Amino acid sequence: MENNLTEKIIRGDVRAAAKLMRGIEDNLPEATDELQKLYPYTGKAFIIGITGSPGVGKSTLVDALITSFRQRQMTVGVVAIDPSSPFTGGALLGDRVRMGKHNTDAGVFIRSLASRGWAGGLARAAISVMYVMDAMGKDVIIVEAVGSGQGEVDIRRLADTTIVVLAPGMGDEIQMMKAGILEAADVYVINKADKDGAGILKTQLEIMLGTKTDYQNEWKPLIVPAQALHGKGIDELTAALLQHKDYLYAGAEIMRRRRERAKLELAAAVEHSLRNHVKMILESEELNTLADNLAQRKTNPYLAAEQAVHKAMGKFREC
Ligand SMILES: Nc1nc2c(ncn2[C@@H]2O[C@H](COP(=O)(O)OP(=O)(O)O)[C@@H](O)[C@H]2O)c(=O)[nH]1
Ligand SMILES: [Mg+2]
C-alpha cells in the first residue's frame, strides 16, 4: 500500500490511518498485511461501547464525552456504526455536523461505518478500525452502535465498558429487555432528563436491576441521568466510566472481557479468510471446467465443492 504505513500510524499520522481504513473497506489483501504489523501495537486503549435505540441521543452523548475526555488530556477515537444508513448518507452528515467542532483537534479521530461497502463484514470493519485507532495511541475508543438486538455487531463483546442509553418517551424498554440488552450495561444513561418521564424511567430501571441479583463482589451497574444536548451529567458519566475501568483492572475482569473480545476477533478473521477462499474459488479458471463437468453430470455439486475447497486451502497453505 505504502512504505512505512504502520510506522506512520503508530506515530499518529491521520492521513496514513485514513488510508489503511480505506484499504480495509476495499478489502485489499495489503490492508490485512498492514493490520498484522499493527496488531502488536494494539491492546492499550480503553474501549467504551455505547448502544441504545435510534434517537435516544447516543451521538450527542459521544460528542459531549469527547469534550470531557479531552479536558482530561485523554485522546479519543470514535467508531460510529450505523447499519441503516449508506456510507455517505444522512447519519454520517449528522455525525459530521454534531462532531464538527472536534474536526481540527488532532487528539480526536472519528470514523463512521455503514453496513454497505464493507466487503469483509461489519464486525471485521469495526474491529479493524479500532485496531488502527488503538495503534495510533488513542487513550479511549468509543464505539457507537444501534442496539435493537437484531443481528448487528454485538457491542458488549467488543467493549471493555458498555453504556446503554435510554430516554423517556421512546417506549422501547420492553423490546430491549426481551433482547437482553437492558441487562447488559455497566453504566446506564437516562438521557433527555429535561423531558417528562425521565424520573419514572429511572425508577423502573432501578426496580429491574434490583430484582436481578445481589451484586456481591460484582459491579453494580450505575445509572447516570444526563442531558447530552445541554452538557449536563457528562462529567458524572465520565467519572462513572473511569470508575468502571478501575474496577476492571483491579481484578480478573479485564482479562475475562478481553478473552471474549478475542473470540470475536478470531471469528471475524476466520470469516474473512473463508470469504476470501470462496471468492478465490468462484473466480478461478477451474470454475469453468467444474461447471462443464457438472452440466454433463460427470460430478455432483457437493463433491465438486469439496474438491474446490480442498484445492483452495492447499493454495492458501503455500502462501
Ligand atoms: N430534549 C433533549 N433532546 C436531546 C438530548 N440529547 C439529544 N437530544 C436530541 O435527540 C435527537 C437524537 O439525538 P442523536 O444523538 O442523533 O441520537 P442517536 O440516534 O441515539 O445517535 C437529536 O435531535 C438531539 O438533539 C437531551 O438531553 N434532551
Ligand atoms: Mg447516532
Side-chain angles (χ1 to χ4, degrees):
M1 289 184 80
E2 185 180 315
N3 277 339
N4 310 323
L5 203 59
T6 295
E7 280 156 47
K8 283 181 183 164
I9 290 169
I10 59 180
R11 270 190 269 116
D13 187 324
V14 172
R15 209 191 53 84
K19 184 163 186 175
L20 178 52
M21 287 177 189
R22 272 197 307 278
I24 297 162
E25 189 186 346
D26 296 339
N27 198 20
L28 302 179
E30 304 94 277
T32 306
D33 296 343
E34 287 301 331
L35 285 173
Q36 291 202 41
K37 283 194 246 163
L38 267 187
Y39 193 77
Y41 300 95
T42 64
K44 295 185 212 81
F46 173 42
I47 299 171
I48 299 168
I50 178 163
T51 188
S53 305
V56 289
K58 296 181 296 297
S59 297
T60 317
L61 267 170
V62 170
D63 183 42
L65 279 174
I66 295 173
T67 307
S68 178
F69 281 118
R70 294 300 290 136
Q71 279 165 358
R72 292 168 191 250
Q73 314 302 327
M74 296 168 88
T75 55
V76 186
V78 175
V79 187
I81 307 172
D82 190 342
S84 62
S85 72
F87 200 66
T88 51
L92 176 58
L93 205 61
D95 287 342
R96 256 203 214 124
V97 171
R98 267 194 290 274
M99 297 182 188
K101 65 171 179 269
H102 305 291
N103 273 352
T104 53
D105 182 351
V108 179
F109 195 113
I110 298 167
R111 188 73 156 91
S112 286
L113 312 180
S115 51
R116 262 174 280 171
W118 292 91
L122 199 55
R124 174 182 142 88
I127 290 168
S128 307
V129 167
M130 282 164 60
Y131 288 157
V132 178
M133 291 179 177
D134 197 341
M136 282 174 92
K138 295 287 172 270
D139 298 311
V140 179
I141 297 173
I142 307 174
V143 190
E144 176 193 334
V146 175
S148 58
Q150 277 144 17
E152 64 274 344
V153 177
D154 187 353
I155 200 137
R156 290 162 296 168
R157 293 186 60 200
L158 272 184
D160 296 325
T161 298
T162 300
I163 308 173
V164 167
V165 187
L166 299 168
M170 304 291 297
D172 54 2
E173 298 83 28
I174 308 252
Q175 201 55 43
M176 293 182 81
M177 218 180 289
K178 274 193 200 145
I181 289 167
L182 211 47
E183 291 137 56
D186 304 302
V187 177
Y188 292 88
V189 173
I190 309 282
N191 193 38
K192 307 195 186 184
D194 52 310
K195 287 196 162 183
D196 283 347
I200 294 168
L201 188 56
K202 183 161 183 275
T203 308
Q204 282 174 339
L205 184 61
E206 278 163 356
I207 291 169
M208 197 210 83
L209 294 176
T211 56
K212 211 178 135 193
T213 42
D214 53 335
Y215 290 94
Q216 282 176 355
N217 296 330
E218 254 186 81
W219 174 259
K220 187 172 186 317
L222 297 172
I223 305 176
V224 183
Q227 297 179 36
L229 195 57
H230 310 117
K232 289 190 185 167
I234 305 305
D235 279 342
E236 290 80 352
L237 176 57
T238 308
L241 294 169
L242 293 174
Q243 191 184 327
H244 187 253
K245 185 189 177 203
D246 287 344
Y247 156 78
L248 289 177
Y249 279 87
E253 187 61 13
I254 190 70
M255 268 322 287
R256 200 191 63 75
R257 292 196 184 202
R258 295 209 159 170
R259 211 179 304 122
E260 275 308 302
R261 175 154 80 238
K263 286 183 199 162
L264 198 68
E265 292 174 69
L266 192 59
V270 167
E271 202 180 311
H272 180 252
S273 175
L274 289 179
R275 258 181 227 255
N276 282 344
H277 280 96
V278 172
K279 199 161 162 263
M280 202 200 280
I281 291 166
L282 296 182
E283 287 171 1
S284 70
E285 294 281 316
E286 293 134 48
L287 190 70
N288 288 327
T289 320
L290 267 178
D292 280 342
N293 289 342
L294 264 178
Q296 295 165 30
R297 291 295 189 274
K298 287 183 185 163
T299 180
N300 67 64
Y302 313 103
L303 182 62
E306 229 163 85
Q307 286 167 339
V309 168
H310 217 78
K311 205 158 183 179
M313 292 302 235
K315 269 189 195 142
F316 179 67
R317 268 192 292 273
E318 281 163 24
C319 62

